[in-house]
Amino acid sequence: GFGCRLARGARSRGVGASGAGKTWLLGVLAGPPEPTSGEVLLNGQSRYRNVGVLKQYVSYMPQQGAFDEHLTIAENLQFAAAIRAPHLSRRDRVRRLDAKLIELGLSERRDAVVGSPEKKTLSGGERKRLNIGLDMIGMSDVYLFDEPTSGLSSKDSEHVIEIIRSMSHNKIVIVTIHQPSSKIFQMFNKVILLDKGGRLVF
């Protein structure tokens, strides 16, 4: 089990070897699945006994891309905004979309079709940034990112983490990373190091 009590503005990162349980940990925090023991609390409320109420406050971005490869960057973000922020007016959604495209460094590429990994239209870094943008377009309080830098160059990895860090004001952001560089390591203010079997070692 795992009890999560993090202050607002926290940027935490789970690191560890493959099989250490980083992805499983994020899945448990996102819920379901429910842990066999222990509990996850958000503002003192059980994550599992209040799934319907708390779901709107938590965004989980898996390692694989959550975007539609047949749509453009802007269309993917428009679709995500309609689902994650349905209360916004069309005008406010357009404003939010434009702001996020600039924040993600994708404004000039907004009309590019995403394409498949085999038929690359976007670079690996652009695909990762779009994936993050799908999460950011909503109004969550807790953001969970699973391996957002996997397969990226050191420069792209730093850019992606910088974007994630910029959104952590008044939010809780939890990121899993397999082998962070020392520069990326220093971008976080809390670190959890997991060993095989999910054992907490640091």
Side-chain angles (χ1 to χ4, degrees):
F2 184 87
C4 180
R5 296 178 178 84
L6 290 175
R8 295 243 177 223
R11 297 183 303 278
S12 292
R13 178 192 56 180
V15 296
S18 294
K22 301 186 299 296
T23 296
W24 180 256
L25 171 60
L26 279 198
V28 167
L29 294 180
E34 184 172 353
T36 53
S37 63
E39 59 185 350
V40 176
L41 303 176
L42 181 59
N43 288 346
Q45 296 185 57
S46 169
R47 179 76 180 93
Y48 306 102
R49 287 189 288 277
N50 300 280
V51 170
V53 176
L54 298 181
K55 187 177 181 181
Q56 60 184 311
Y57 300 108
V58 180
S59 284
Y60 172 53
M61 190 51 62
Q63 189 174 151
Q64 62 275 18
F67 41 72
D68 188 318
E69 296 174 347
H70 301 95
L71 300 179
T72 66
I73 289 174
E75 287 168 342
N76 268 289
L77 290 171
Q78 284 168 354
F79 184 66
I83 292 173
R84 294 176 185 245
H87 57 284
L88 291 179
S89 68
R90 182 183 176 88
R91 187 178 176 183
D92 285 341
R93 268 188 228 157
V94 169
R95 283 180 181 164
R96 190 165 182 78
L97 171 66
D98 290 341
K100 288 302 169 188
L101 283 167
I102 292 169
E103 193 174 346
L104 294 165
L106 295 173
S107 188
E108 292 181 5
R109 301 278 280 150
R110 63 184 297 145
D111 296 322
V113 174
V114 172
S116 66
E118 296 76 31
K119 296 181 179 178
K120 287 190 175 179
T121 309
L122 306 183
S123 69
E126 287 171 334
R127 292 172 74 87
K128 289 287 186 179
R129 280 182 273 147
L130 172 58
N131 210 37
I132 290 168
L134 299 179
D135 228 2
M136 291 169 63
I137 205 78
M139 303 281 199
S140 299
D141 292 300
V142 180
Y143 291 92
L144 309 171
F145 294 101
D146 190 19
E147 300 276 3
T149 61
S150 63
L152 296 183
S153 67
S154 58
K155 185 177 179 181
D156 278 338
S157 294
E158 288 165 13
H159 191 183
V160 164
I161 296 302
E162 194 59 58
I163 290 169
I164 291 175
R165 185 168 73 163
S166 73
M167 63 188 279
S168 67
H169 178 67
N170 257 357
K171 309 284 183 183
I172 294 171
V173 179
I174 301 177
V175 179
T176 65
I177 298 181
H178 180 55
Q179 289 181 318
S181 66
S182 59
K183 189 168 183 179
I184 286 178
F185 187 91
Q186 292 169 24
M187 290 182 178
F188 292 83
N189 55 23
K190 294 188 180 185
V191 177
I192 294 170
L193 177 60
L194 300 178
D195 200 356
K196 294 275 185 174
R199 190 169 64 93
L200 182 68
V201 293
F202 175 80

